[in-house]
Amino acid sequence: MSKARDIATIMVSCLAQLMVAIDMTVLHLAVPALTTQLGASAEELLWIADVYGFAMGGLLVTMGNLGDRFGRRRVLLIGVTAFALGSLVAAYAPSSETLIAARALLGIAGAAVLPSTTSLLRAVFTTQRARTAAVGVTAGVSAAGFAIGPIVGGVLLEHFWWGSVFLVNIPVALLILGAARVVPESRSSGKLRLDLPSVLLSIVGLVAVVYALKGAFYVGLWYPEVLGAFAVGGASLWWFARRQRRLDQPLIDLDLFRRRGFSASVGSNLVSVFTMSAFALISSQYFQLVLGWSPLRSGLAFVPGAIAALVAGGVLAAKAVRRFGRAPTVSGGLALASVGFGLFGAISTESPYLLVLAAQVAFGAGAGLTLTVTGDTILGTVPRDRAGAASAI
């Protein structure tokens, strides 16, 4: 039963991470088609793309704490069910407004799914070696998901309408719900209180800051709406941080950031996820708009990077940690990712695919290594009772 439980936990975690990661990038290839068919304006198109991240980023901390309090498996199942529902609505959305609302629901559901999957690994795999291996497989699949999204989107768009890129989530969600029956429930052993003012401050602060950062690039830093969002977000996060210092059970234990291993891992993780999103978006636009490739051919061009991420995260990361240590492995992963971006920066319309291939493999391997080691380090530095809150960070 223990082996079946372990396999089911890894399977659920991988499928859930893959589902959320694919949904972050699968829309890139569908943008031209849905713009034409829905008649979406430029502003509506931005909201279709951005509301997913706004909702997810704003609610991660809250959902992680809810999992610690009410049960990580329960929150995961609720999130997966909502994700399937949101995907169904998005697939058949008759208007841009409906699609924006569906994408918001997907973001909320994703916020419930992500910390729950990672914290379940912390609860089920109690030894460091087993946990590192499990996190490695999951992180590798998650990193590969950023590249697999365009592949899935390319195949579907070659034969079906743009909404089909969302329907692929439904069978994956059903698989998760079936496998999750074997996964044990876990929650904090003590009675955790959820501070509602902190919840509100974290949501307002994170969403406002992300909105302001995006707005600064769209319309400029000095636009009144952008400055106002920065002011609201900054004030909310400052108040949130101050409140956490006074609570016996804070949403985020800010003292964790005093630990070099934790803070360095969070920073490295942030850089990796940021660059993965950028790499997927830039590459998909390059293949389709610059080279004129079909969605299917563009999607298949991502395969080498996805394989590199999966192998590096799921196979090589644990071995590298045992041989070289955590810090050198993370540094090596970030260096590899930097090489990938350097190669990509040298690509022009006349460049051979071999150069693109080298850039993808270097970046994919680097991201896979970094995400695995940093994710495992973050989980390993916090008590098991607060695994959901740590995963949310």
Side-chain angles (χ1 to χ4, degrees), residues 78-91 102 105-106 109 169-170 173:
I78 293 173
V80 170
T81 303
F83 208 96
L85 178 61
S87 298
L88 186 63
V89 174
L105 176 58
L106 287 170
N169 294 326
I170 296 177

Side-chain angles (χ1 to χ4, degrees), residues 342-356:
L343 291 173
F344 200 83
I347 293 172
S348 68
T349 54
E350 307 298 326
S351 298
Y353 176 68
L354 188 62
L355 183 59
V356 181

Side-chain angles (χ1 to χ4, degrees), residues 128-373:
Q128 179 177 317
R129 185 167 184 174
R131 188 188 68 237
T132 302
V135 171
V137 173
T138 305
V141 169
S142 179
F146 281 85
I148 293 173
I151 300 171
V152 174
V155 172
L156 293 173
L157 291 171
E158 194 81 5
H159 303 285
F160 305 102
W161 88 112
W162 63 265
S164 62
V165 301
F166 295 106
L167 288 181
V168 72
N169 294 326
I170 296 177
V172 177
L174 293 175
L175 283 173
I176 295 171
L177 294 174
R181 296 179 180 181
V182 187
V183 177
E185 181 61 281
S186 71
R187 58 172 58 87
S188 173
S189 56
K191 186 175 178 59
L192 293 178
R193 294 189 303 274
L194 196 65
D195 184 60
L196 293 180
S198 295
V199 170
L200 181 61
L201 288 170
S202 69
I203 294 173
V204 172
L206 288 170
V207 171
V209 168
V210 173
Y211 178 84
L213 288 171
K214 286 179 173 290
F217 288 98
Y218 292 148
V219 297
L221 176 62
W222 303 111
Y223 193 72
E225 189 174 315
V226 173
L227 291 175
F230 266 125
V232 171
S236 298
L237 291 179
W238 174 82
W239 192 3
F240 171 82
R242 186 175 182 182
R243 187 173 181 84
Q244 301 317 292
R245 293 289 188 187
R246 299 176 176 178
L247 295 175
D248 295 332
Q249 296 180 355
L251 254 63
I252 294 178
D253 183 2
L254 297 181
D255 287 335
L256 289 172
F257 289 94
R258 297 180 182 273
R259 304 180 186 181
R260 294 175 58 188
F262 183 88
S263 56
S265 294
V266 170
S268 301
N269 201 286
L270 171 64
V271 170
S272 297
V273 174
F274 179 87
T275 51
M276 278 197 305
S277 302
F279 196 87
L281 177 60
I282 294 168
S283 298
S284 63
Q285 301 300 305
Y286 171 76
F287 291 142
Q288 289 189 96
L289 302 181
V290 178
L291 300 183
W293 289 2
S294 68
L296 176 58
R297 186 180 181 186
S298 301
L300 292 175
F302 281 93
V303 170
I307 294 175
L310 185 58
V311 171
V315 179
L316 301 180
K319 296 180 179 178
V321 168
R322 289 197 296 270
R323 181 166 184 179
F324 304 110
R326 291 177 178 270
T329 301
V330 173
S331 298
L334 292 173
L336 266 176
S338 299
V339 169
F341 261 100
L343 291 173
F344 200 83
I347 293 172
S348 68
T349 54
E350 307 298 326
S351 298
Y353 176 68
L354 188 62
L355 183 59
V356 181
L357 176 66
Q360 282 194 27
V361 170
F363 175 75
L369 284 173
T370 304
L371 286 173
T372 297
V373 181

